[in-house]
Amino acid sequence: MGRVPLASSGETRAAIASAEAALSGWSATPPAKRAQVLFKFRELLIRDMDELAEMLSSEHGKTVPDARGSITRGLEVVEFACGIPHLLKGEFSEGVATDVDTYSMRQPVGVCAGITPFNFPAMVPLWMFPVALACGNTFVLKPSERDPSCGLRLTELMFEAGLPKGCLNVVNGDKEAVDELLSNPAIAAVSFVGSTATGQYIYETGCRHSKRVQALCGAKNHMVVLPDADMEQAVDAAVGAAYGSAGERCMAISVIIAVGEETGDEFIRRISPKVQGLKVGPWNDETSDMGPVVTAAARDKVLGYIDQGIAAGAELVVDGRAVSPQGYEDGFFIGGCLFDRVTTDMSIYTDEIFGPVLAVVRADDYEHALKMVNDHEYGNGAAIFTRDGDAARNFSSRANIGMIGINVPIPVPVAYHSFGGWKRSLMGDHHVHGMEGVRFYTRLKTITSRWPSGIRTGAQFHFKSGAEQ
Ligand code: NAD
Protein backbone atom coordinates (compact mmCIF):
# COMPACT_ATOMS: atom_id res chain seq x y z
CA MET A 1 0.00 0.00 0.00
CA GLY A 2 2.85 2.37 0.73
CA ARG A 3 6.18 2.86 2.37
CA VAL A 4 7.15 4.52 5.60
CA PRO A 5 10.67 5.33 6.76
CA LEU A 6 11.80 3.68 10.01
CA ALA A 7 13.09 6.13 12.60
CA SER A 8 16.68 5.90 13.78
CA SER A 9 17.47 6.18 17.48
CA GLY A 10 18.46 9.83 16.85
CA GLU A 11 15.08 10.62 15.29
CA THR A 12 13.34 8.83 18.15
CA ARG A 13 15.35 10.95 20.62
CA ALA A 14 14.09 14.06 18.83
CA ALA A 15 10.47 12.89 19.24
CA ILE A 16 11.07 12.20 22.94
CA ALA A 17 12.65 15.66 23.35
CA SER A 18 9.60 17.22 21.70
CA ALA A 19 7.30 15.42 24.18
CA GLU A 20 9.56 16.42 27.07
CA ALA A 21 9.50 20.09 26.05
CA ALA A 22 5.68 20.07 25.91
CA LEU A 23 5.23 18.36 29.28
CA SER A 24 5.29 21.25 31.74
CA GLY A 25 2.71 23.30 29.80
CA TRP A 26 0.35 20.39 29.19
CA SER A 27 0.52 18.92 32.69
CA ALA A 28 -0.28 22.38 34.11
CA THR A 29 -3.32 22.74 31.81
CA PRO A 30 -6.51 22.22 33.85
CA PRO A 31 -8.04 18.76 33.29
CA ALA A 32 -11.29 20.30 32.01
CA LYS A 33 -9.32 22.13 29.29
CA ARG A 34 -7.49 18.94 28.38
CA ALA A 35 -10.89 17.23 28.16
CA GLN A 36 -12.08 19.89 25.70
CA VAL A 37 -9.44 18.72 23.22
CA LEU A 38 -10.71 15.17 23.62
CA PHE A 39 -14.34 16.22 23.15
CA LYS A 40 -13.33 17.84 19.86
CA PHE A 41 -11.20 14.82 18.90
CA ARG A 42 -14.26 12.62 19.47
CA GLU A 43 -16.24 14.71 16.95
CA LEU A 44 -13.43 14.42 14.41
CA LEU A 45 -13.24 10.66 14.83
CA ILE A 46 -16.96 10.44 14.10
CA ARG A 47 -16.59 12.80 11.13
CA ASP A 48 -13.74 10.74 9.64
CA MET A 49 -14.90 7.27 10.68
CA ASP A 50 -15.40 6.01 7.12
CA GLU A 51 -12.06 7.34 5.91
CA LEU A 52 -10.25 5.82 8.91
CA ALA A 53 -12.00 2.46 8.49
CA GLU A 54 -11.00 2.29 4.81
CA MET A 55 -7.44 3.28 5.62
CA LEU A 56 -7.28 0.60 8.29
CA SER A 57 -8.83 -2.14 6.16
CA SER A 58 -6.72 -1.41 3.11
CA GLU A 59 -3.49 -1.82 5.08
CA HIS A 60 -4.56 -4.58 7.46
CA GLY A 61 -6.87 -6.59 5.21
CA LYS A 62 -9.80 -6.91 7.62
CA THR A 63 -13.30 -6.09 6.39
CA VAL A 64 -14.54 -2.49 6.63
CA PRO A 65 -17.40 -3.21 9.11
CA ASP A 66 -14.88 -4.99 11.36
CA ALA A 67 -12.48 -2.03 11.12
CA ARG A 68 -15.29 0.41 11.90
CA GLY A 69 -16.28 -1.68 14.94
CA SER A 70 -12.75 -1.57 16.30
CA ILE A 71 -12.46 2.22 15.82
CA THR A 72 -15.78 2.61 17.63
CA ARG A 73 -14.31 0.66 20.56
CA GLY A 74 -11.41 3.15 20.53
CA LEU A 75 -13.83 6.07 20.34
CA GLU A 76 -15.45 4.80 23.54
CA VAL A 77 -12.10 5.12 25.31
CA VAL A 78 -11.93 8.75 24.14
CA GLU A 79 -15.41 9.27 25.59
CA PHE A 80 -14.23 7.75 28.87
CA ALA A 81 -11.17 10.03 28.89
CA CYS A 82 -13.44 13.09 28.38
CA GLY A 83 -14.54 12.53 31.99
CA ILE A 84 -11.01 13.11 33.30
CA PRO A 85 -11.84 16.01 35.66
CA HIS A 86 -14.06 13.63 37.60
CA LEU A 87 -11.68 10.67 37.29
CA LEU A 88 -8.72 12.59 38.73
CA LYS A 89 -10.54 13.65 41.89
CA GLY A 90 -8.53 12.69 44.97
CA GLU A 91 -9.53 11.74 48.50
CA PHE A 92 -9.70 14.02 51.51
CA SER A 93 -9.81 13.22 55.22
CA GLU A 94 -10.52 16.12 57.48
CA GLY A 95 -9.02 16.14 60.97
CA VAL A 96 -6.88 12.98 60.92
CA ALA A 97 -5.30 14.55 64.04
CA THR A 98 -5.79 17.89 65.74
CA ASP A 99 -5.79 20.53 62.98
CA VAL A 100 -4.28 17.97 60.57
CA ASP A 101 -5.89 17.00 57.25
CA THR A 102 -4.73 14.37 54.77
CA TYR A 103 -5.54 14.38 51.09
CA SER A 104 -4.35 12.61 47.99
CA MET A 105 -4.04 13.54 44.35
CA ARG A 106 -3.02 11.76 41.18
CA GLN A 107 -0.40 13.53 39.07
CA PRO A 108 0.90 12.71 35.57
CA VAL A 109 3.92 10.39 35.36
CA GLY A 110 5.64 12.37 32.57
CA VAL A 111 6.48 11.37 29.01
CA CYS A 112 4.81 8.07 28.11
CA ALA A 113 5.43 5.75 25.17
CA GLY A 114 3.05 3.38 23.38
CA ILE A 115 4.25 0.48 21.23
CA THR A 116 1.35 -1.08 19.36
CA PRO A 117 0.59 -4.19 17.25
CA PHE A 118 -0.59 -4.55 13.68
CA ASN A 119 -3.93 -6.17 14.43
CA PHE A 120 -5.71 -3.12 15.88
CA PRO A 121 -3.87 -0.13 14.36
CA ALA A 122 -6.48 2.39 15.56
CA MET A 123 -8.11 0.83 18.63
CA VAL A 124 -4.94 -0.06 20.54
CA PRO A 125 -3.33 3.41 20.16
CA LEU A 126 -6.74 4.77 21.27
CA TRP A 127 -6.54 2.58 24.40
CA MET A 128 -3.40 4.50 25.31
CA PHE A 129 -2.82 8.11 24.26
CA PRO A 130 -6.28 9.60 25.04
CA VAL A 131 -6.06 8.41 28.66
CA ALA A 132 -2.37 9.33 29.00
CA LEU A 133 -2.93 12.83 27.58
CA ALA A 134 -6.11 13.37 29.62
CA CYS A 135 -4.06 12.62 32.75
CA GLY A 136 -1.61 15.38 31.78
CA ASN A 137 1.22 13.35 30.26
CA THR A 138 2.77 13.80 26.85
CA PHE A 139 3.15 10.83 24.54
CA VAL A 140 5.30 9.14 21.89
CA LEU A 141 3.47 6.51 19.81
CA LYS A 142 5.34 3.79 17.94
CA PRO A 143 2.72 2.05 15.75
CA SER A 144 3.24 -1.25 13.98
CA GLU A 145 5.39 -0.82 10.89
CA ARG A 146 2.95 -3.15 9.07
CA ASP A 147 0.02 -0.70 9.11
CA PRO A 148 1.24 2.70 10.32
CA SER A 149 -1.20 5.11 8.65
CA CYS A 150 -3.94 5.10 11.31
CA GLY A 151 -1.48 6.11 14.02
CA LEU A 152 -0.36 9.05 11.90
CA ARG A 153 -3.89 10.11 10.97
CA LEU A 154 -5.17 9.90 14.56
CA THR A 155 -2.30 12.15 15.62
CA GLU A 156 -3.16 14.70 12.91
CA LEU A 157 -6.74 14.69 14.20
CA MET A 158 -5.54 15.37 17.75
CA PHE A 159 -3.75 18.48 16.50
CA GLU A 160 -6.81 19.53 14.53
CA ALA A 161 -8.71 19.16 17.81
CA GLY A 162 -6.40 21.70 19.42
CA LEU A 163 -3.70 19.63 21.11
CA PRO A 164 -0.61 21.82 21.63
CA LYS A 165 2.49 21.05 19.59
CA GLY A 166 4.76 18.36 20.99
CA CYS A 167 2.19 16.70 23.25
CA LEU A 168 1.74 13.72 20.91
CA ASN A 169 4.48 12.37 18.62
CA VAL A 170 4.67 9.40 16.27
CA VAL A 171 7.79 7.49 15.35
CA ASN A 172 7.57 4.73 12.82
CA GLY A 173 10.24 2.21 13.48
CA ASP A 174 11.41 -1.18 14.56
CA LYS A 175 13.67 -2.44 17.34
CA GLU A 176 16.04 0.52 17.04
CA ALA A 177 13.29 3.05 17.79
CA VAL A 178 11.81 0.82 20.49
CA ASP A 179 15.18 0.41 22.22
CA GLU A 180 15.54 4.19 22.39
CA LEU A 181 12.09 4.45 24.00
CA LEU A 182 13.01 1.74 26.51
CA SER A 183 16.32 3.23 27.56
CA ASN A 184 15.86 6.99 27.23
CA PRO A 185 15.76 8.50 30.74
CA ALA A 186 13.05 11.00 29.73
CA ILE A 187 10.48 8.22 29.22
CA ALA A 188 8.59 7.48 32.45
CA ALA A 189 6.13 4.79 31.37
CA VAL A 190 5.75 2.35 28.49
CA SER A 191 2.54 0.69 27.31
CA PHE A 192 3.04 -2.25 24.98
CA VAL A 193 0.58 -4.48 23.16
CA GLY A 194 1.88 -7.27 20.94
CA SER A 195 3.35 -10.75 20.96
CA THR A 196 4.63 -12.43 24.13
CA ALA A 197 8.27 -12.72 23.08
CA THR A 198 8.48 -9.00 22.27
CA GLY A 199 6.41 -8.12 25.35
CA GLN A 200 8.77 -9.99 27.64
CA TYR A 201 11.74 -8.14 26.13
CA ILE A 202 9.97 -4.80 26.50
CA TYR A 203 8.88 -5.49 30.06
CA GLU A 204 12.32 -6.62 31.21
CA THR A 205 14.25 -3.89 29.38
CA GLY A 206 11.87 -1.12 30.44
CA CYS A 207 11.91 -2.24 34.08
CA ARG A 208 15.71 -2.46 34.04
CA HIS A 209 15.67 1.21 33.05
CA SER A 210 13.32 1.97 35.99
CA LYS A 211 10.26 2.63 33.86
CA ARG A 212 6.70 1.75 34.66
CA VAL A 213 5.73 -0.89 32.07
CA GLN A 214 2.50 -2.64 31.11
CA ALA A 215 2.94 -5.28 28.40
CA LEU A 216 -0.21 -6.92 27.04
CA CYS A 217 0.82 -10.05 25.18
CA GLY A 218 -0.37 -13.16 23.37
CA ALA A 219 -3.33 -15.38 24.12
CA LYS A 220 -5.05 -18.72 23.60
CA ASN A 221 -8.66 -18.12 24.49
CA HIS A 222 -10.78 -21.12 25.41
CA MET A 223 -14.54 -21.44 25.06
CA VAL A 224 -16.03 -24.16 27.26
CA VAL A 225 -19.25 -25.63 25.89
CA LEU A 226 -21.30 -27.53 28.48
CA PRO A 227 -23.86 -30.16 27.41
CA ASP A 228 -26.77 -27.92 28.44
CA ALA A 229 -25.66 -24.95 26.26
CA ASP A 230 -27.90 -23.54 23.54
CA MET A 231 -25.85 -25.26 20.85
CA GLU A 232 -26.93 -23.09 17.92
CA GLN A 233 -26.05 -19.95 19.88
CA ALA A 234 -22.70 -21.45 20.94
CA VAL A 235 -21.82 -22.46 17.37
CA ASP A 236 -22.65 -19.03 15.91
CA ALA A 237 -20.69 -17.34 18.69
CA ALA A 238 -17.70 -19.59 18.04
CA VAL A 239 -17.69 -18.97 14.28
CA GLY A 240 -17.63 -15.18 14.69
CA ALA A 241 -15.12 -15.26 17.53
CA ALA A 242 -12.72 -17.71 15.91
CA TYR A 243 -12.74 -16.53 12.30
CA GLY A 244 -13.60 -12.82 12.48
CA SER A 245 -10.62 -10.73 11.36
CA ALA A 246 -9.09 -14.02 10.11
CA GLY A 247 -8.39 -14.99 13.73
CA GLU A 248 -5.96 -12.09 14.12
CA ARG A 249 -7.42 -10.91 17.43
CA CYS A 250 -5.87 -11.30 20.85
CA MET A 251 -9.37 -12.16 22.12
CA ALA A 252 -10.19 -14.58 19.28
CA ILE A 253 -11.51 -17.93 20.44
CA SER A 254 -8.92 -20.47 19.30
CA VAL A 255 -9.90 -23.47 21.44
CA ILE A 256 -13.31 -25.03 22.05
CA ILE A 257 -13.51 -27.39 25.00
CA ALA A 258 -16.53 -29.57 24.45
CA VAL A 259 -17.60 -31.24 27.69
CA GLY A 260 -18.67 -34.80 26.92
CA GLU A 261 -18.32 -36.79 23.70
CA GLU A 262 -21.89 -36.09 22.61
CA THR A 263 -21.41 -32.34 23.02
CA GLY A 264 -18.23 -32.56 20.95
CA ASP A 265 -19.92 -34.56 18.18
CA GLU A 266 -22.89 -32.23 17.98
CA PHE A 267 -20.69 -29.14 18.02
CA ILE A 268 -18.55 -30.47 15.15
CA ARG A 269 -21.62 -31.53 13.17
CA ARG A 270 -23.19 -28.08 13.46
CA ILE A 271 -20.09 -25.89 13.04
CA SER A 272 -18.42 -27.70 10.11
CA PRO A 273 -20.76 -26.46 7.33
CA LYS A 274 -20.58 -22.92 8.71
CA VAL A 275 -16.77 -22.93 8.62
CA GLN A 276 -16.85 -24.47 5.15
CA GLY A 277 -19.22 -21.70 4.04
CA LEU A 278 -17.12 -18.77 5.24
CA LYS A 279 -16.56 -16.24 2.47
CA VAL A 280 -12.92 -15.27 2.33
CA GLY A 281 -12.14 -12.25 0.17
CA PRO A 282 -10.59 -8.82 -0.09
CA TRP A 283 -11.32 -6.10 2.46
CA ASN A 284 -13.37 -4.01 0.01
CA ASP A 285 -15.74 -6.80 -1.01
CA GLU A 286 -18.86 -6.29 1.07
CA THR A 287 -19.67 -9.99 0.94
CA SER A 288 -16.38 -11.05 2.60
CA ASP A 289 -16.69 -12.58 6.07
CA MET A 290 -12.95 -12.28 6.54
CA GLY A 291 -9.93 -11.00 4.66
CA PRO A 292 -6.39 -12.30 4.29
CA VAL A 293 -3.81 -12.55 7.06
CA VAL A 294 -1.44 -9.62 7.27
CA THR A 295 1.76 -10.79 5.53
CA ALA A 296 3.20 -13.74 3.63
CA ALA A 297 5.21 -14.60 6.74
CA ALA A 298 2.01 -14.70 8.83
CA ARG A 299 0.36 -16.98 6.23
CA ASP A 300 3.37 -19.34 6.22
CA LYS A 301 3.40 -19.49 10.01
CA VAL A 302 -0.29 -20.44 10.11
CA LEU A 303 0.16 -23.07 7.38
CA GLY A 304 3.13 -24.47 9.32
CA TYR A 305 0.93 -24.95 12.39
CA ILE A 306 -1.71 -26.74 10.31
CA ASP A 307 0.97 -29.18 9.10
CA GLN A 308 2.09 -29.72 12.70
CA GLY A 309 -1.48 -30.41 13.81
CA ILE A 310 -1.97 -33.04 11.09
CA ALA A 311 1.39 -34.63 11.88
CA ALA A 312 0.51 -34.77 15.58
CA GLY A 313 -2.67 -36.73 14.80
CA ALA A 314 -5.39 -34.09 15.09
CA GLU A 315 -8.32 -34.47 12.68
CA LEU A 316 -8.54 -31.62 10.14
CA VAL A 317 -12.32 -31.56 9.68
CA VAL A 318 -12.37 -28.41 7.52
CA ASP A 319 -9.30 -27.63 5.43
CA GLY A 320 -9.20 -24.04 4.17
CA ARG A 321 -5.63 -24.12 2.89
CA ALA A 322 -6.59 -24.20 -0.80
CA VAL A 323 -8.90 -21.17 -0.57
CA SER A 324 -7.80 -18.50 -3.04
CA PRO A 325 -10.28 -15.81 -4.11
CA GLN A 326 -10.41 -15.32 -7.85
CA GLY A 327 -8.31 -12.38 -9.00
CA TYR A 328 -6.34 -12.34 -5.73
CA GLU A 329 -4.21 -15.44 -6.21
CA ASP A 330 -1.13 -13.69 -4.78
CA GLY A 331 -2.96 -12.60 -1.62
CA PHE A 332 -2.26 -14.05 1.81
CA PHE A 333 -5.64 -15.78 2.11
CA ILE A 334 -6.39 -18.82 4.23
CA GLY A 335 -9.88 -20.28 4.50
CA GLY A 336 -11.39 -21.30 7.81
CA CYS A 337 -9.72 -24.40 9.26
CA LEU A 338 -11.22 -26.64 11.94
CA PHE A 339 -9.40 -29.32 13.91
CA ASP A 340 -11.11 -31.94 16.06
CA ARG A 341 -9.59 -34.34 18.62
CA VAL A 342 -6.84 -31.90 19.54
CA THR A 343 -4.89 -32.77 22.70
CA THR A 344 -3.10 -30.48 25.10
CA ASP A 345 0.40 -31.62 24.10
CA MET A 346 -0.01 -30.48 20.45
CA SER A 347 1.52 -27.17 19.29
CA ILE A 348 -1.84 -26.20 17.74
CA TYR A 349 -3.15 -26.25 21.33
CA THR A 350 -0.21 -24.78 23.23
CA ASP A 351 0.78 -21.95 20.84
CA GLU A 352 -1.00 -18.83 19.66
CA ILE A 353 -1.47 -19.41 15.90
CA PHE A 354 -3.08 -16.01 15.16
CA GLY A 355 -4.94 -17.19 12.08
CA PRO A 356 -8.31 -18.72 11.10
CA VAL A 357 -7.71 -22.04 12.85
CA LEU A 358 -10.01 -23.41 15.55
CA ALA A 359 -9.09 -26.43 17.69
CA VAL A 360 -11.74 -28.58 19.36
CA VAL A 361 -10.63 -30.47 22.47
CA ARG A 362 -12.82 -33.02 24.24
CA ALA A 363 -13.12 -32.90 28.05
CA ASP A 364 -14.56 -35.65 30.27
CA ASP A 365 -16.38 -33.23 32.57
CA TYR A 366 -16.49 -29.62 33.78
CA GLU A 367 -13.54 -30.01 36.20
CA HIS A 368 -11.40 -31.41 33.38
CA ALA A 369 -12.31 -28.43 31.18
CA LEU A 370 -11.53 -25.94 33.95
CA LYS A 371 -8.17 -27.59 34.58
CA MET A 372 -7.23 -27.16 30.91
CA VAL A 373 -8.16 -23.48 31.01
CA ASN A 374 -6.12 -22.97 34.17
CA ASP A 375 -3.11 -25.03 33.10
CA HIS A 376 -2.60 -23.07 29.86
CA GLU A 377 0.21 -20.53 30.03
CA TYR A 378 -2.00 -17.74 28.65
CA GLY A 379 -4.85 -16.11 30.54
CA ASN A 380 -6.34 -13.34 28.41
CA GLY A 381 -9.99 -14.32 27.91
CA ALA A 382 -12.16 -17.40 28.37
CA ALA A 383 -15.84 -18.05 27.80
CA ILE A 384 -18.34 -20.57 29.05
CA PHE A 385 -21.55 -21.44 27.23
CA THR A 386 -24.19 -22.95 29.47
CA ARG A 387 -27.69 -22.49 30.85
CA ASP A 388 -26.46 -23.54 34.30
CA GLY A 389 -25.99 -20.53 36.58
CA ASP A 390 -24.04 -22.58 39.14
CA ALA A 391 -21.49 -23.65 36.56
CA ALA A 392 -21.18 -20.12 35.13
CA ARG A 393 -20.63 -18.63 38.57
CA ASN A 394 -18.12 -21.32 39.49
CA PHE A 395 -16.22 -20.69 36.26
CA SER A 396 -16.07 -16.91 36.76
CA SER A 397 -14.72 -17.43 40.23
CA ARG A 398 -12.19 -20.23 39.61
CA ALA A 399 -10.84 -19.60 36.09
CA ASN A 400 -7.31 -18.22 36.24
CA ILE A 401 -8.09 -15.71 33.47
CA GLY A 402 -8.32 -11.91 33.22
CA MET A 403 -11.57 -11.56 31.24
CA ILE A 404 -14.47 -14.02 31.42
CA GLY A 405 -17.48 -14.31 29.12
CA ILE A 406 -20.67 -16.07 30.15
CA ASN A 407 -22.51 -16.87 26.92
CA VAL A 408 -20.38 -14.03 25.48
CA PRO A 409 -17.54 -15.32 23.29
CA ILE A 410 -15.31 -12.21 23.22
CA PRO A 411 -15.62 -10.55 26.63
CA VAL A 412 -13.76 -7.32 25.79
CA PRO A 413 -14.80 -4.93 28.58
CA VAL A 414 -16.41 -1.59 27.75
CA ALA A 415 -14.10 1.45 27.95
CA TYR A 416 -15.01 2.43 31.52
CA HIS A 417 -13.95 -1.01 32.74
CA SER A 418 -10.39 -2.22 32.13
CA PHE A 419 -8.92 -4.66 29.61
CA GLY A 420 -6.16 -7.09 30.49
CA GLY A 421 -5.20 -10.73 30.85
CA TRP A 422 -3.47 -12.83 33.51
CA LYS A 423 -0.49 -15.18 33.42
CA ARG A 424 1.69 -14.77 30.29
CA SER A 425 -0.93 -12.55 28.64
CA LEU A 426 0.04 -9.47 30.66
CA MET A 427 3.31 -8.44 32.26
CA GLY A 428 3.05 -5.58 34.71
CA ASP A 429 0.40 -4.61 37.20
CA HIS A 430 -2.12 -2.49 35.36
CA HIS A 431 -4.75 -3.34 32.79
CA VAL A 432 -5.57 -0.71 30.12
CA HIS A 433 -8.30 1.97 29.98
CA GLY A 434 -10.96 2.45 32.65
CA MET A 435 -9.63 3.31 36.11
CA GLU A 436 -6.66 0.96 35.69
CA GLY A 437 -5.56 3.13 32.75
CA VAL A 438 -5.87 6.29 34.84
CA ARG A 439 -3.81 4.65 37.60
CA PHE A 440 -1.12 3.53 35.16
CA TYR A 441 -0.70 7.02 33.72
CA THR A 442 -0.69 8.81 37.09
CA ARG A 443 1.28 8.74 40.33
CA LEU A 444 -0.35 9.00 43.70
CA LYS A 445 0.71 11.82 46.01
CA THR A 446 -0.57 12.08 49.58
CA ILE A 447 -0.34 15.34 51.53
CA THR A 448 -0.60 15.77 55.28
CA SER A 449 -1.07 19.37 56.38
CA ARG A 450 -1.46 21.19 59.68
CA TRP A 451 -3.39 24.46 59.82
CA PRO A 452 -3.21 26.73 61.68
CA SER A 453 0.56 26.42 61.47
CA GLY A 454 1.51 28.32 64.59
CA ILE A 455 1.04 25.52 67.16
CA ARG A 456 4.25 24.81 69.12
CA THR A 457 4.64 21.14 70.04
CA GLY A 458 8.40 20.99 70.66
CA ALA A 459 10.60 18.36 69.01
CA GLN A 460 8.95 14.95 68.59
CA PHE A 461 11.12 11.80 68.62
CA HIS A 462 8.63 8.99 68.24
CA PHE A 463 5.91 8.14 65.74
CA LYS A 464 2.43 8.97 66.90
CA SER A 465 -0.74 7.24 65.84
CA GLY A 466 -3.52 9.40 64.46
CA ALA A 467 -5.42 8.99 67.73
CA GLU A 468 -2.49 10.28 69.83
CA GLN A 469 -1.76 13.44 67.86
P1 NAD B 1 4.73 -7.86 17.58
O1 NAD B 1 5.21 -8.26 18.93
O2 NAD B 1 5.39 -8.44 16.40
O3 NAD B 1 4.81 -6.27 17.40
C1 NAD B 1 4.26 -5.38 18.35
C2 NAD B 1 5.09 -4.10 18.36
O4 NAD B 1 6.41 -4.40 18.81
C3 NAD B 1 5.23 -3.45 16.99
O5 NAD B 1 5.14 -2.05 17.13
C4 NAD B 1 6.60 -3.87 16.53
O6 NAD B 1 7.22 -2.93 15.69
C5 NAD B 1 7.37 -3.98 17.84
N1 NAD B 1 8.43 -5.01 17.79
C6 NAD B 1 8.39 -6.18 17.10
N2 NAD B 1 9.53 -6.87 17.32
C7 NAD B 1 10.29 -6.12 18.15
C8 NAD B 1 11.57 -6.32 18.75
N3 NAD B 1 12.29 -7.41 18.53
N4 NAD B 1 12.03 -5.36 19.57
C9 NAD B 1 11.32 -4.26 19.81
N5 NAD B 1 10.10 -4.02 19.27
C10 NAD B 1 9.59 -4.94 18.45
O7 NAD B 1 3.15 -8.17 17.57
P2 NAD B 1 2.18 -8.11 16.31
O8 NAD B 1 2.45 -9.28 15.43
O9 NAD B 1 2.18 -6.76 15.72
O10 NAD B 1 0.77 -8.30 17.02
C11 NAD B 1 0.18 -9.55 17.23
C12 NAD B 1 0.36 -9.99 18.67
O11 NAD B 1 -0.19 -9.00 19.54
C13 NAD B 1 -0.38 -11.26 19.01
O12 NAD B 1 0.46 -12.06 19.80
C14 NAD B 1 -1.58 -10.80 19.80
O13 NAD B 1 -2.11 -11.73 20.72
C15 NAD B 1 -1.01 -9.64 20.52
N6 NAD B 1 -2.04 -8.72 20.95
C16 NAD B 1 -2.35 -8.72 22.27
C17 NAD B 1 -3.35 -7.92 22.73
C18 NAD B 1 -3.69 -7.90 24.18
O14 NAD B 1 -4.42 -7.01 24.58
N7 NAD B 1 -3.22 -8.84 24.99
C19 NAD B 1 -4.06 -7.08 21.83
C20 NAD B 1 -3.71 -7.09 20.49
C21 NAD B 1 -2.70 -7.93 20.06
Side-chain angles (χ1 to χ4, degrees):
M1 300 303 302
R3 289 182 180 276
V4 70
L6 302 183
S8 64
S9 51
E11 286 160 330
T12 310
R13 262 197 304 282
I16 298 169
S18 149
E20 205 181 3
L23 183 64
S24 60
W26 182 246
S27 60
T29 302
K33 268 197 124 169
R34 299 198 295 253
Q36 278 170 8
V37 175
L38 290 162
F39 275 111
K40 181 72 188 159
F41 178 59
R42 174 188 176 275
E43 282 173 27
L44 300 179
L45 278 180
I46 293 166
R47 183 195 72 188
D48 290 355
M49 179 66 78
D50 289 345
E51 177 206 319
L52 280 163
E54 288 223 346
M55 177 184 280
L56 194 164
S57 289
S58 65
E59 289 183 10
H60 178 284
K62 64 175 81 179
T63 63
V64 176
D66 193 25
R68 195 178 292 118
S70 71
I71 301 168
T72 304
R73 277 306 187 107
L75 174 73
E76 289 168 5
V77 179
V78 178
E79 290 169 346
F80 165 75
C82 285
I84 200 68
H86 177 72
L87 300 170
L88 284 182
K89 282 196 301 193
E91 294 175 321
F92 185 91
S93 297
E94 183 190 12
V96 295
T98 309
D99 300 326
V100 176
D101 305 318
T102 294
Y103 58 99
S104 64
M105 54 174 86
R106 302 208 71 99
Q107 294 191 324
V109 289
V111 180
C112 301
I115 301 157
T116 56
F118 81 87
N119 66 328
F120 286 109
M123 182 183 81
V124 171
L126 289 171
W127 281 355
M128 299 175 182
F129 73 75
V131 182
L133 290 168
C135 291
N137 304 283
T138 56
F139 204 86
V140 181
L141 173 66
K142 209 296 293 164
S144 170
E145 66 280 21
R146 278 170 268 173
D147 43 16
S149 295
C150 281
L152 290 164
R153 185 73 190 123
L154 292 172
T155 303
E156 283 175 353
L157 293 179
M158 280 299 288
F159 290 118
E160 189 180 337
L163 186 72
K165 194 168 170 287
C167 291
L168 178 59
N169 304 266
V170 185
V171 287
N172 285 293
D174 55 12
K175 188 170 183 308
E176 186 178 339
V178 170
D179 282 346
E180 183 61 41
L181 293 171
L182 295 176
S183 58
N184 192 302
I187 297 283
V190 177
S191 300
F192 167 84
V193 177
S195 62
T196 304
T198 316
Q200 174 130 19
Y201 171 76
I202 282 173
Y203 184 70
E204 288 173 357
T205 314
C207 289
R208 212 168 42 247
H209 288 91
S210 305
K211 300 184 191 319
R212 186 180 283 198
V213 186
Q214 56 178 183
L216 284 79
C217 302
K220 195 80 179 176
N221 306 304
H222 295 55
M223 173 170 150
V224 176
V225 182
L226 294 188
D228 69 347
D230 176 332
M231 205 52 81
E232 201 54 29
Q233 183 203 27
V235 163
D236 283 340
V239 171
Y243 301 102
S245 203
E248 291 177 323
R249 287 180 181 146
C250 64
M251 287 291 277
I253 291 291
S254 46
V255 174
I256 300 290
I257 307 186
V259 175
E261 280 297 316
E262 274 177 35
T263 311
D265 291 345
E266 192 188 346
F267 188 87
I268 290 286
R269 186 176 57 73
R270 286 183 188 239
I271 199 172
S272 302
K274 297 197 178 197
V275 179
Q276 199 91 50
L278 285 171
K279 171 94 194 304
V280 182
W283 64 272
N284 51 1
D285 179 343
E286 280 176 15
T287 65
S288 300
D289 293 318
M290 64 186 198
V293 296
V294 69
T295 55
R299 178 198 54 199
D300 295 345
K301 181 178 157 212
V302 175
L303 295 178
Y305 272 114
I306 295 170
D307 290 344
Q308 288 175 34
I310 295 167
E315 221 175 279
L316 187 59
V317 182
V318 181
D319 182 356
R321 287 176 295 176
V323 167
S324 176
Q326 215 181 357
Y328 296 92
E329 287 75 12
D330 293 333
F332 314 135
F333 293 96
I334 308 171
C337 295
L338 176 69
F339 275 111
D340 192 12
R341 309 236 166 246
V342 174
T343 53
T344 54
D345 55 338
M346 296 178 184
S347 64
I348 55 169
Y349 176 79
T350 54
D351 297 4
E352 182 183 51
I353 300 175
F354 225 54
V357 183
L358 180 62
V360 177
V361 184
R362 312 287 185 114
D364 303 332
D365 53 25
Y366 168 73
E367 287 295 330
H368 184 200
L370 180 66
K371 183 168 175 2
M372 281 190 238
V373 170
N374 284 344
D375 285 351
H376 201 284
E377 67 168 331
Y378 290 123
N380 221 31
I384 187 164
F385 275 69
T386 180
R387 291 182 172 109
D388 179 347
D390 282 2
R393 188 169 184 281
N394 187 289
F395 189 73
S396 357
S397 158
R398 289 172 65 208
N400 200 3
I401 299 287
M403 292 169 282
I404 300 286
I406 298 170
N407 299 316
V408 171
I410 304 192
V412 173
V414 289
Y416 41 97
H417 284 260
S418 300
F419 180 107
W422 286 11
K423 299 188 274 185
R424 299 264 299 157
S425 293
L426 190 149
M427 294 166 212
D429 301 313
H430 293 87
H431 292 199
V432 293
H433 64 64
M435 281 314 291
E436 283 279 282
V438 173
R439 288 184 196 112
F440 182 76
Y441 291 121
T442 52
R443 286 184 295 191
L444 184 69
K445 184 179 278 183
T446 309
I447 293 115
T448 302
S449 71
R450 168 172 281 137
W451 295 108
S453 64
I455 296 168
R456 303 278 178 267
T457 53
Q460 306 273 319
F461 295 102
H462 68 280
F463 263 157
K464 285 185 169 178
S465 72
E468 275 181 301
Q469 290 182 61

